Amino acid sequence: PLIFSIARDVTSLHDSQILLSERARMMELAEQLVGIGRWWVDLPTGATEWTSSIFEIYGLDPADGPPDVAQGIAAYHPDDREMVAAEVGRVAEHGGEFSFQARILRPDGSVRHVESVGLGHANDEGVVVSLFGLFRDITDELDLQRRVRHAERMASLGTLSAGVAHEVNSPLTWLGGNLEVLLSRLQDVTPEELPSVREELLELASSAASGGERIARIVKGLRAFVHEGGARRSVRLANVVETAVSLVANEVRHHARLEHDVDPSLWVMGDETQLGQILVNLLINAAQAIDPGHSSDESIRLTARRDEDGWTVIEVKDTGRGMPERDLDRIWDPFFTTKPVGVG
């Protein structure tokens, strides 16, 4: 009998497969380190593949295998589910890319905030046959941003503490003085004299009540300023401006005249706490750009108006020294400041 065989050295192919496997494992480890996962869906068959990071984000056991697309979308928060389904459906039908942030409800009831980007792959006929996406858990990142914003508000409040104390002390002194006079008059007046001094006593009581109301407004403004915020709703802009101006008034008065002109009919959709913090920061920055001692010659003016396109425009203008031209390109950089340590 004759035996014929062909042999081929596959050592290099074997080594290449091992290298690819190691690289894939290293990529997966890197993805786990930064909280990123990959997923892939074959649309004709419905076959789905997930990397381990996505199972961890969803709170699912990898041994059970990945859910299908519909089940994956069903895990999103009810308020986000329609948006996610629309984005994924659009790309599955027409191709292109998608990008969104949404919340996922884990089986244990916890919520994770995720960021997802992906695209659709089409065949030669232009039909989308697969979807590919990247998935990232941004829960801790958003929590850190929230903590930083809160720390910034508290730091601003520290800067304003002297001014706030002054704003509270003035109406408190007025309130105490009126109550003291009112008490003294009531102790001295006889029942027969009450009708003749009634108007005087009512005026004292009314004045005291006004002082109490002013203190209440200041406290309400402080509570709104340090509140975590996050809720978008209809906000009357004049109220936000009044709160911001009352908080910074004492800080600003040593640097410049503070003027404000806001249309009382202006309402905007937004977060009242964050809007207030923006105005406080702008006004404080404006004041710190003006050397103290000549406040009668300097001014800071805050205006709010509706432009011709229907947008609400808020402007803060000051007569300070402004920014050096070399710094103008960096004004949007987070934490960038030209102030010395302990001032900014």
Side-chain angles (χ1 to χ4, degrees):
L2 178 64
I3 299 177
F4 178 78
S5 65
I6 298 176
R8 184 165 67 96
D9 187 347
V10 295
T11 303
S12 60
L13 177 62
H14 180 262
D15 292 343
S16 297
Q17 290 175 338
I18 293 176
L19 181 61
L20 287 174
S21 177
E22 289 178 347
R23 287 180 176 176
R25 177 58 180 158
M26 290 298 294
M27 180 179 290
E28 187 167 346
L29 288 174
E31 290 173 349
Q32 291 177 356
L33 183 65
V34 296
I36 293 178
R38 287 172 290 127
W39 58 266
W40 175 84
V41 177
D42 181 76
L43 294 177
T45 64
T48 305
E49 291 185 10
W50 283 9
T51 56
S52 57
S53 295
I54 298 186
F55 285 98
E56 183 178 349
I57 294 171
Y58 267 80
L60 299 176
D61 187 351
D64 297 331
D68 59 28
V69 175
Q71 293 171 330
I73 292 177
Y76 282 89
H77 190 283
D79 293 343
D80 301 338
R81 200 174 295 152
E82 183 178 350
M83 178 270 296
V84 173
E87 281 291 288
V88 175
R90 174 182 59 81
V91 174
E93 183 175 356
H94 304 291
E97 302 176 355
F98 65 80
S99 174
F100 60 80
Q101 291 185 7
R103 294 161 292 176
I104 282 180
L105 296 178
R106 285 176 165 176
D108 63 3
S110 61
V111 177
R112 304 303 294 181
H113 294 260
V114 299
E115 181 179 45
S116 183
V117 295
L119 52 84
H121 175 69
N123 59 18
D124 294 339
E125 287 76 34
V127 178
V128 180
V129 294
S130 63
L131 298 177
F132 172 80
L134 295 175
F135 213 63
R136 186 166 72 98
D137 188 336
I138 59 173
T139 306
D140 295 338
E141 181 180 318
L142 292 179
D143 183 61
L144 178 61
Q145 292 175 358
R146 178 187 60 80
R147 291 173 182 269
V148 169
R149 287 195 300 267
H150 185 66
E152 288 174 345
R153 285 197 296 274
M154 298 307 293
S156 297
L157 191 59
T159 301
L160 300 172
S161 57
V164 171
H166 176 83
E167 289 299 314
V168 171
N169 188 60
S170 295
L172 189 61
T173 301
W174 180 258
L175 171 64
N178 278 278
L179 289 177
E180 186 176 345
V181 173
L182 179 62
L183 182 61
S184 176
R185 294 290 288 124
L186 286 175
Q187 288 175 337
D188 296 338
V189 72
T190 64
E192 293 77 15
E193 295 175 319
L194 275 176
S196 61
V197 297
R198 180 176 179 275
E199 292 300 324
E200 177 188 354
L201 297 178
L202 284 175
E203 184 176 346
L204 288 170
S206 177
S207 182
S210 297
E213 291 172 359
R214 183 178 175 190
I215 294 173
R217 286 197 300 271
I218 295 171
V219 172
K220 182 181 178 181
L222 285 173
R223 291 179 61 186
F225 185 73
V226 300
H227 189 265
E228 288 297 331
R232 288 174 55 85
R233 61 185 182 86
S234 183
V235 176
R236 186 172 180 265
L237 201 53
N239 293 344
V240 179
V241 171
E242 181 181 350
T243 298
V245 168
S246 68
L247 290 175
V248 305
N250 193 66
E251 175 76 13
V252 171
R253 65 165 54 98
H254 304 294
H255 299 263
R257 305 184 315 277
L258 179 55
E259 306 167 352
H260 57 94
D261 181 15
V262 180
D263 184 345
S265 67
L266 288 178
W267 290 75
V268 296
M269 285 298 297
D271 184 323
E272 185 171 3
T273 299
Q274 293 183 7
L275 285 171
Q277 183 182 358
I278 289 171
L279 295 182
V280 166
N281 289 346
L282 288 173
L283 293 171
I284 290 296
N285 283 342
Q288 291 177 344
I290 301 174
D291 294 328
H294 303 282
S295 58
S296 60
D297 301 325
E298 308 287 356
S299 67
I300 300 173
R301 182 169 177 80
L302 188 158
T303 61
R305 58 182 174 80
R306 191 87 68 189
D307 69 8
E308 59 273 11
D309 296 321
W311 291 95
T312 297
V313 179
I314 304 173
E315 294 179 338
V316 176
K317 296 183 178 181
D318 65 78
T319 56
R321 54 185 172 271
M323 293 181 66
E325 188 174 352
R326 64 179 181 274
D327 295 330
L328 291 180
D329 292 337
R330 301 194 62 191
I331 60 174
W332 302 115
D333 292 354
F335 307 111
F336 171 73
T337 181
T338 58
K339 300 172 186 175
V341 175
V343 177

